[in-house]
């Protein structure tokens, strides 16, 4: 075998281990009994070390050097590029740091599930401190290897090429634009009364409705499933995608939209290029692109009036309490319900107008944590101050709905949060282009037909894997690199009619 073939074989084996790691991680979050936590954490830490050792094997560096002299087709060249990137990222990380991080984040994430429920910041803080200390150590190592700032070095692992220098002006613009838009939309919606559908909506009724809508969107149940977890997520692998949601018997909207959101992630995974799924080039392009696929389905397509026209009869049929004759179950009222804007505490339940403000809050805190400008003990106060500034709400003493609400920091995912809002902008640009390319798209969604939209995404995004860089993919798919005005135009059109 030549050097490129050696690399391809090596990374196919590494992908097999990543497959096992992904399913074990899903099981830990969705199925594992609490008593299995310590042993599972140790097992995953051992697996992480083995995988890290494979990526950093000195032969990989030799093979990369040799393969760079070989004649490769475009997909092979892109795969070599991504392998080299993985090698650079891994070789700068000492194996003992990888193991210490895995053990610390496993302990922290498992404790978070308990301490969030108990609103117990005091118990959670020492565990989070350990995770932050190790994340800072990682950031310093990566910064030395890349020449980036500490936070930029972490951000680059999720969104290649993205830096604070690009994010800060973008978020500054949003902070200047969104609070005023939020006030204007709230004032307008206050004049349109909203009736809350009443009833106890059983978990089984909600689950069956979610499964039905997953099928409508195009989810392949031969290669995936739906379960329950503390925090909705999409996990697994393209051939076996695992998504979760969480249910409340007094509210069916959050669970259904959680299912739709995670289905968007899952459709991306299921649409990745089959011939390259065992290789780095066959994986999802970036976290922002992944988030764009979930937000395109949830926010752009499935909160549209056209899709609500399709959904309403299914809601009325799903729930025993739903009487179509009652005004609360009418189409106009349910559309207002699904596009309601409010100042809320919980990011995952936030509407698309206020959601970026939740992201900006987290970005600013984690950036300052990693750069040493803030300490863990200061997080609750900083969170409360920004919640009051951006959303007019206080979380003083309310840690469960404040700084303990997300799993990201207990899991050590620093640098991840900005990708959510970058993803919202990407979704708006892609959907606007799809509507241009498919003139009858909205009419199709009104009939529950997602075939053309999914086919367009398979061609323009999913099937491309990591063949192109983000800006190149966006230019090829939409005619332009990522531009913020699509997102602004979308919000103003949907919520203000202009």
């Amino acid at each position: 075998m030549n050097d490129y073939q050696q690399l391809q074989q090596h990374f196919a084996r590494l992908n097999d281990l990543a497959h096992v790691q992904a399913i074990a991680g899903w099981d830990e979050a969705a199925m594992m009994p609490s008593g299995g936590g310590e042993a599972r954490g140790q097992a995953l830490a051992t697996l992480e070390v083995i995988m890290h050792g494979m990526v950093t094997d000195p032969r990989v560096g030799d093979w990369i050097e040799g393969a760079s002299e070989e004649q490769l087709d475009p997909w092979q060249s892109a795969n070599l590029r991504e392998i080299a990137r993985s090698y650079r990222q891994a070789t700068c990380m000492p194996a003992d740091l990888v193991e210490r991080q895995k053990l610390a984040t496993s302990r922290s994430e498992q404790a978070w599930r308990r301490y969030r429920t108990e609103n117990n910041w005091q118990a959670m803080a020492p565990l989070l401190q350990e995770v932050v200390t190790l994340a800072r150590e990682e950031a310093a190592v990566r910064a030395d290897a890349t020449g980036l700032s500490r936070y930029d070095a972490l951000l680059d692992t999720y969104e290649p090429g993205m830096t604070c220098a690009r994010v800060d002006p973008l978020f500054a613009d949003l902070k200047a634009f969104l609070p005023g838009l939020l006030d204007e939309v709230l004032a307008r919606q206050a004049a349109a009364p909203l009736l809350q559908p009443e009833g106890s909506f059983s978990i089984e009724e909600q689950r069956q409705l979610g499964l039905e809508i997953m099928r409508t969107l195009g989810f392949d149940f031969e290669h995936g499933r739906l379960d329950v977890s503390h925090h909705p997520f999409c996990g697994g692998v393209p051939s076996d995608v695992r998504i979760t949601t969480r249910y409340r018997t007094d509210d069916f909207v959050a669970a259904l939209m959680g299912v739709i959101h995670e289905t968007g992630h899952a459709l991306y995974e299921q649409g990745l290029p089959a011939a390259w799924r065992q290789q780095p080039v066959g994986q999802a392009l970036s976290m922002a692109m992944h988030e764009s696929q979930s937000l395109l389905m949830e926010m752009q397509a499935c909160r549209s009036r056209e899709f609500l026209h399709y959904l309403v009869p299914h809601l009325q049929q799903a729930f025993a309490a739903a009487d179509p004759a009652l005004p609360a179950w009418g189409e106009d009222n349910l559309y207002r319900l699904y596009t309601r804007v409010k100042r809320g505490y919980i990011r995952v339940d936030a509407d698309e107008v206020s959601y970026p403000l939740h992201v900006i809050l987290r970005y600013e805190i984690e950036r300052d944590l990693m750069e040493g400008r803030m300490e863990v003990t200061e997080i609750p106060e900083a969170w409360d101050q920004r919640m009051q500034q951006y959303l007019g709400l206080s979380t003083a003493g309310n840690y469960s709905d404040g700084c303990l609400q997300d799993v990201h920091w207990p899991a050590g995912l620093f640098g991840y949060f900005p990708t959510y809002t970058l993803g919202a902008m990407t979704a708006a640009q892609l959907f606007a282009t799809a509507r241009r390319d498919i003139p009858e798209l909205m009419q199709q969604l009104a009939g529950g037909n997602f075939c053309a939209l999914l086919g367009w995404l398979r061609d323009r995004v999913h099937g491309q894997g990591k063949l192109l860089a983000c800006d190149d993919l966006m230019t090829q798919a939409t005619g332009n690199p990522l531009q913020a005005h699509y997102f602004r135009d979308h919000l103003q059109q949907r919520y203000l009619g202009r």
Side-chain angles (χ1 to χ4, degrees), residues 92-381:
C92 72
M93 287 285 287
D96 72 301
L97 175 56
V98 174
E99 183 172 19
R100 285 185 288 128
Q101 279 190 306
K102 189 61 183 178
L103 288 170
T105 55
S106 181
R107 286 192 298 267
S108 176
E109 186 175 348
Q110 291 168 21
W112 167 79
R113 297 190 184 103
R114 171 185 173 185
Y115 293 141
R116 184 195 178 192
T117 302
E118 297 176 356
N119 193 41
N120 194 343
W121 167 256
Q122 288 71 26
M124 187 67 213
L127 293 162
L128 184 58
Q129 179 64 66
E130 183 182 10
V131 172
V132 167
T133 298
L134 291 170
R136 286 172 170 172
E137 187 175 341
E138 176 189 355
V141 168
R142 293 194 183 282
D144 288 342
T146 61
L148 297 170
S149 73
R150 293 186 177 190
Y151 184 77
D152 284 349
L154 297 178
L155 176 59
D156 186 69
T157 65
Y158 299 107
E159 200 61 29
M162 188 59 63
T163 64
C164 290
R166 294 180 64 188
V167 173
D168 287 344
L170 172 63
F171 283 5
D173 288 344
L174 288 178
K175 284 197 293 184
F177 164 67
L178 287 174
L181 177 67
L182 180 59
D183 289 340
E184 192 171 355
V185 173
L186 288 172
R188 173 173 289 212
Q189 291 190 348
L194 174 66
L195 302 174
Q196 189 70 37
E198 297 181 357
S200 178
F201 309 107
S202 77
I203 291 175
E204 183 57 27
E205 288 174 333
Q206 294 186 61
R207 173 178 166 78
Q208 291 303 319
L209 176 63
L211 293 171
E212 181 179 1
I213 299 304
M214 288 170 67
R215 294 186 188 95
T216 298
L217 270 56
F219 185 89
D220 178 4
F221 281 96
E222 290 188 1
H223 295 94
R225 55 181 287 141
L226 171 67
D227 291 280
V228 178
S229 68
H230 286 79
H231 190 93
F233 71 92
C234 174
V237 295
S239 61
D240 183 7
V241 184
R242 308 297 179 92
I243 73 171
T244 69
T245 192
R246 56 187 177 193
Y247 299 103
R248 288 174 45 186
T249 57
D250 63 340
D251 175 22
F252 60 85
V253 175
L256 179 57
M257 283 299 158
V259 167
I260 291 172
H261 181 96
E262 301 306 334
T263 298
H265 283 303
L267 292 173
Y268 188 10
E269 290 291 317
Q270 292 182 339
L272 289 169
W276 292 97
R277 284 180 180 174
Q278 287 191 305
Q279 298 297 315
V281 74
Q283 297 169 7
L285 181 55
S286 73
M287 291 298 100
M289 188 59 69
H290 225 310
E291 189 64 13
S292 79
Q293 299 310 289
S294 60
L295 292 175
L296 190 149
M297 285 297 173
E298 179 197 359
M299 294 298 186
Q300 298 289 325
C302 292
R303 290 187 196 260
S304 68
R305 181 172 281 278
E306 288 81 2
F307 181 72
L308 262 293
H309 177 75
Y310 169 80
L311 179 62
V312 166
H314 293 270
L315 294 174
Q316 294 171 346
Q317 183 177 4
F319 302 121
D323 182 350
L326 294 175
W329 290 98
E331 184 174 322
D332 287 343
N333 185 68
L334 289 171
Y335 177 71
R336 288 194 293 271
L337 178 67
Y338 273 87
T339 56
R340 199 66 172 179
V341 173
K342 62 181 180 179
R343 305 180 194 276
Y345 293 101
I346 306 300
R347 175 186 60 85
V348 295
D349 295 336
D351 57 84
E352 59 184 336
V353 176
S354 63
Y355 191 101
L357 296 171
H358 288 272
V359 170
I360 292 169
L361 178 156
R362 290 155 173 79
Y363 162 69
E364 292 176 343
I365 291 176
E366 71 175 17
R367 177 196 62 197
D368 289 351
L369 275 173
M370 291 301 104
E371 296 292 352
R373 296 192 293 265
M374 184 183 297
E375 298 301 327
V376 169
T377 55
E378 300 174 274
I379 291 176
E381 182 179 358

Side-chain angles (χ1 to χ4, degrees), residues 323-451:
D323 182 350
L326 294 175
W329 290 98
E331 184 174 322
D332 287 343
N333 185 68
L334 289 171
Y335 177 71
R336 288 194 293 271
L337 178 67
Y338 273 87
T339 56
R340 199 66 172 179
V341 173
K342 62 181 180 179
R343 305 180 194 276
Y345 293 101
I346 306 300
R347 175 186 60 85
V348 295
D349 295 336
D351 57 84
E352 59 184 336
V353 176
S354 63
Y355 191 101
L357 296 171
H358 288 272
V359 170
I360 292 169
L361 178 156
R362 290 155 173 79
Y363 162 69
E364 292 176 343
I365 291 176
E366 71 175 17
R367 177 196 62 197
D368 289 351
L369 275 173
M370 291 301 104
E371 296 292 352
R373 296 192 293 265
M374 184 183 297
E375 298 301 327
V376 169
T377 55
E378 300 174 274
I379 291 176
E381 182 179 358
W383 190 289
D384 181 49
Q385 289 175 345
R386 285 172 169 81
M387 279 295 290
Q388 293 188 52
Q389 179 184 352
Y390 301 157
L391 289 158
L393 299 171
S394 174
T395 56
N398 183 3
Y399 309 113
S400 295
D401 293 336
C403 58
L404 286 183
Q405 69 177 267
D406 297 298
V407 71
H408 299 63
W409 293 344
L413 303 179
F414 296 95
Y416 194 127
F417 275 121
T419 66
Y420 287 119
T421 290
L422 295 172
M425 295 177 177
T426 302
Q429 186 165 333
L430 288 170
F431 193 70
T433 307
R435 292 186 65 173
R436 181 198 68 194
D437 292 349
I438 311 169
E440 65 279 10
L441 176 59
M442 301 313 292
Q443 181 180 352
Q444 292 176 356
L445 298 187
N449 182 356
F450 279 73
C451 292

